[in-house]
Amino acid sequence: MGMGNAGALLILVAISMFGIGLGNKNFSGDWNGNWNHTAGWPYGHPNANQTSKTIIVGGSENWRFGFNYTDWAIRNSPFYMNDKLVFKYDPPNDTTFPHSVYLLPNFRSFQNCDLRGAKKIAQVTQGGGEGFEFVLKRWQPYYFVCGERNGFHCKVGMMKFAVWPLFRWY
Ligand SMILES: *[C@@H]1O[C@H](CO)[C@@H](O)[C@H](O)[C@H]1NC(C)=O
Ligand SMILES: *[C@@H]1O[C@H](CO)[C@@H](O)[C@H](O)[C@H]1NC(C)=O
Ligand SMILES: *[C@@H]1O[C@H](CO)[C@@H](O)[C@H](O)[C@H]1NC(C)=O
Ligand SMILES: *[C@@H]1O[C@H](CO)[C@@H](O)[C@H](O)[C@H]1NC(C)=O
Ligand SMILES: *[C@@H]1O[C@H](CO)[C@@H](O)[C@H](O)[C@H]1NC(C)=O
Ligand SMILES: [Cu+2]
């Protein structure tokens, strides 16, 4: 069980590292090559130079109980510094379970869904509308979890994932 989680993170990190190579390889193809994506359209947009991406956590599943976010993170890696993650979840009412977003301080707490040293970054109400936005500013591992039900959503609901954003190379 413990090994399983550790293994998953190692794979995640390995894939992220591998992503450096992939990113580099296709970078010139994407940006210096002859590929014009709809020439001129993103001009003047903050993302004009593709300095960052906006990524909805979970894609169309949003941030919910029972979706495998570790798997999602692996499939969507690599992540880059200044990428923006968006957590979307319904504000609580009588029929929906509340969710939230916490950052855990290290791998061990992440592995155990241990919220003791956690930092709450989004309240249960912040996932509505456009969702809660979080920019991956630093070169460090980020351990995201849902903090509801004292770790139950993290442990049983799989509402947890780790990312280590890479530098972008131009
Ligand atoms: C990189 O480019 C190659 C050749 O164009 C392509 O087959 C491969 O899927 C690309 N990889 C990524 C990660 O885009
Ligand atoms: C990209 O845009 C430039 C300038 O508009 C043009 O000269 C070039 O042919 C375009 N390349 C492709 C592959 O469409
Ligand atoms: C995008 O590139 C242009 C030209 O290379 C530069 O002037 C501009 O400052 C860049 N914008 C950002 C957000 O990096
Ligand atoms: C979630 O996905 C990861 C990576 O694909 C996998 O290793 C893990 O077993 C999955 N967890 C569950 C509970 O299915
Ligand atoms: C609770 O929220 C869900 C999802 O937004 C919505 O479909 C449902 O109608 C809401 N129920 C009540 C009682 O407001
Ligand atoms: Cu939750």
Side-chain angles (χ1 to χ4, degrees), residues 22 25-26 30:
L22 272 184
K25 231 186 225 158
N26 280 12
D30 282 344

Side-chain angles (χ1 to χ4, degrees), residues 3 5 10 34 38 50 107 113 119 135 153 165:
M3 282 310 287
N5 282 339
L10 282 182
N34 57 4
T38 52
Q50 298 273 337
F107 180 62
C113 292
K119 183 178 164 199
V135 177
H153 281 208

Side-chain angles (χ1 to χ4, degrees), residues 49-100:
N49 300 346
Q50 298 273 337
T51 48
S52 61
K53 269 193 305 183
T54 295
I55 301 148
I56 312 277
V57 175
S60 57
E61 299 288 334
N62 293 343
W63 185 232
R64 70 162 176 88
F65 191 91
F67 182 72
N68 189 337
Y69 289 93
T70 298
D71 192 52
W72 173 84
I74 290 170
R75 288 176 196 282
N76 286 273
S77 66
F79 296 85
Y80 292 95
M81 285 164 69
N82 292 320
D83 280 352
K84 188 193 282 177
L85 298 182
V86 183
F87 294 82
K88 291 189 167 184
Y89 47 95
D90 291 322
N93 66 20
D94 291 345
T95 59
T96 58
F97 292 112
H99 302 294
S100 56

